Amino acid sequence: MRMRAAALAAALALGAGSAALAEERLAAGQLAVGGQSRIIYPEDRLPALALPDGQARPVKSLIDAQRPMRFGQFVWDEAGVGAGPVWVRVDLARQSLSVFRGGHEIGTAVILFGADNKPTPTGVFPVMAKAKEHRSSLYDAEMPFMLRLTGDGVAIHASDVRPDAVTHGCIGIPMGFARLLYGQMRVGDVVAIVGR
C-alpha cells in the first residue's frame, strides 16, 4: 500500500534538499536491528515530523520495512530502543500509523479510517481512556484494545483491516499491532492525525 521509508522521509520537515538528504541517510545509515533495517539519523541533523498543531517532533530512527505493506500487515521492532516518551502519528493520506518511543519508530501499520460521511478527525489528541475489551454502545461493535481519542467515541482499536473497508471515524489497526500498541500507550500520550 505504501513505500515506507520514502513516505515518511517525504513527510519529514528536512528543509531544502530533503529528498537527496533522505536518500543519503538511507544509503549510509542502515543498521540491522531485530530482523529489520533501521534508518538512523545523525544526532546533529535530526529531521522532524510536523504535527497538525504546528509543533514538530524529532525523529531519531525509522523502521525500513523494505517493501510496501498491504492491508492487515504491520511491522513492530523495538529491539535496541530504550525507554522514552511514546506518541503516535496517523497519516490518513498514506493509510498508515507509526508509533514512536524516545524519537525512534518502533511500529507501523496499514490502517482503516472513517468514511466520507463519518470522517476521522484531524488534529492532536491525548489518549483519554484505554480498555482491552470495549463494545461501542452506538454501533454495537467490538473495539478490542481501544484507545479513546475524543469525547464522541473516536478511537484507535483492533479491526479487520482489509481493502474497501472503512470505519465510523475510528482508526482500525490489525489485532496483533493493536495489542502491542495498547501495551505502549498511556492515558495522556499524544496521537497526531494528519489529513488527506
Side-chain angles (χ1 to χ4, degrees):
M1 293 310 313
R2 63 207 174 103
M3 298 302 294
R4 281 280 311 130
L8 270 176
L12 291 169
L14 294 171
S18 61
L21 184 56
E23 287 301 316
E24 171 190 318
R25 289 178 181 173
L26 176 62
Q30 289 189 357
L31 173 70
V33 178
Q36 297 294 321
S37 293
R38 187 168 287 280
I39 302 166
I40 300 177
Y41 296 98
E43 284 290 329
D44 63 338
R45 294 190 304 170
L46 293 179
L49 283 169
L51 277 58
D53 64 0
Q55 294 184 41
R57 297 273 175 125
V59 174
K60 296 179 179 179
S61 72
L62 297 172
I63 295 170
D64 183 5
Q66 309 266 325
R67 66 188 194 294
M69 292 173 27
R70 292 181 168 72
F71 286 99
Q73 293 183 325
F74 68 91
V75 176
W76 190 275
D77 187 352
E78 58 185 302
V81 176
V86 177
W87 71 282
V88 167
R89 182 175 190 274
V90 177
D91 188 327
L92 300 178
R94 292 185 173 90
Q95 269 189 274
S96 66
L97 181 151
S98 291
V99 56
F100 294 86
R101 186 173 71 210
H104 301 276
E105 184 184 40
I106 60 171
T108 185
V110 178
I111 65 164
L112 298 178
F113 59 92
D116 289 339
N117 63 339
K118 297 277 188 182
T120 300
T122 58
V124 178
F125 306 92
V127 173
M128 299 172 65
K130 293 174 57 171
K132 281 186 183 178
E133 298 176 13
H134 179 76
R135 183 167 202 85
S136 168
S137 57
L138 188 58
Y139 299 108
D140 192 30
E142 294 294 327
M143 298 169 62
F145 301 104
M146 185 271 303
L147 302 168
R148 183 174 307 284
L149 304 178
T150 69
D152 62 349
V154 174
I156 298 172
H157 61 81
S159 191
D160 180 12
V161 180
R162 64 189 190 285
D164 301 320
V166 294
T167 71
H168 295 102
C170 288
I171 297 157
I173 56 178
M175 179 67 81
F177 187 83
R179 183 178 293 110
L180 292 164
L181 180 62
Y182 184 89
Q184 290 292 315
M185 298 293 284
R186 296 183 194 161
V187 171
D189 285 345
V190 170
V191 176
I193 304 174
V194 298
R196 297 192 233 185

